[in-house]
């Protein structure tokens, strides 16, 4: 599963620079697939949906820092444990029970984001 940030977040900002996928954004900030990844131009999700990686997407939270689950690999491929959860002073980076992925799926996502084998 991906990691999510709960509303216990105190907006300290410690997690944001630790994310290897640039999946963490400040409250109210727009996000892009291309931020911190190799993704550029039109992404075809293969299910009829496409999206421009360079286009700003609406903030997922206006109150607290948030994680874009499509960019979160639980740090698989980079670190042994989720770095956001490791640095969060109030332990509000927790498993997102709505986004469940296997280790192989997380590795494939990491390769997709960073265009490497
Ligand atoms: S678990 Fe890792 S990849 Fe996911 S948001 Fe946290 S730091 Fe980023
Ligand atoms: S480290 Fe924790 S409290 Fe600080 S911004 Fe990130 S999620 Fe919020």
């Amino acid at each position: 599963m991906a990691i999510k940030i709960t509303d216990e977040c105190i907006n300290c900002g410690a997690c944001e620079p630790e994310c290897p996928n640039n999946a963490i954004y400040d409250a109210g900030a727009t996000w892009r697939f291309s931020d911190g990844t190799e993704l550029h131009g039109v992404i075809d999700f293969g299910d009829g949906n496409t999206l421009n990686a360079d286009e700003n997407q609406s903030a997922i939270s206006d109150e607290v820092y948030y994680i874009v689950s499509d960019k979160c690999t639980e740090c698989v491929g980079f670190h042994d444990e989720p770095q956001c959860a490791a640095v969060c002073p109030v332990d509000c980076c927790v498993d997102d029970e709505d986004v469940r992925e296997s280790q192989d799926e997380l590795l494939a996502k990491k390769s997709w984001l960073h265009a490497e084998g």
Side-chain angles (χ1 to χ4, degrees), residues 3 18-21 23-24 67 72-75 82-84:
I3 303 295
E18 301 301 325
C19 180
N21 299 318
I24 304 174
I67 291 171
C72 174
T73 62
E74 296 174 40
C75 286
Q83 295 300 287
C84 50

Side-chain angles (χ1 to χ4, degrees), residues 5 9-15 65 88-90 92-93:
I5 293 172
C9 171
I10 57 171
N11 290 316
C12 74
C15 55
Y65 274 71
C88 181
V90 293
C92 69
C93 300

Side-chain angles (χ1 to χ4, degrees), residues 25 29-35 51-59:
Y25 291 84
T30 55
W31 68 274
R32 301 185 304 174
F33 269 108
S34 61
D35 295 331
L51 192 142
N52 189 327
D54 301 302
E55 215 164 69
N56 287 329
Q57 308 298 324
S58 301

Side-chain angles (χ1 to χ4, degrees), residues 55-77:
E55 215 164 69
N56 287 329
Q57 308 298 324
S58 301
I60 293 172
S61 172
D62 289 328
E63 309 285 329
V64 292
Y65 274 71
Y66 67 88
I67 291 171
V68 177
S69 51
D70 280 344
K71 296 182 76 178
C72 174
T73 62
E74 296 174 40
C75 286
V76 166

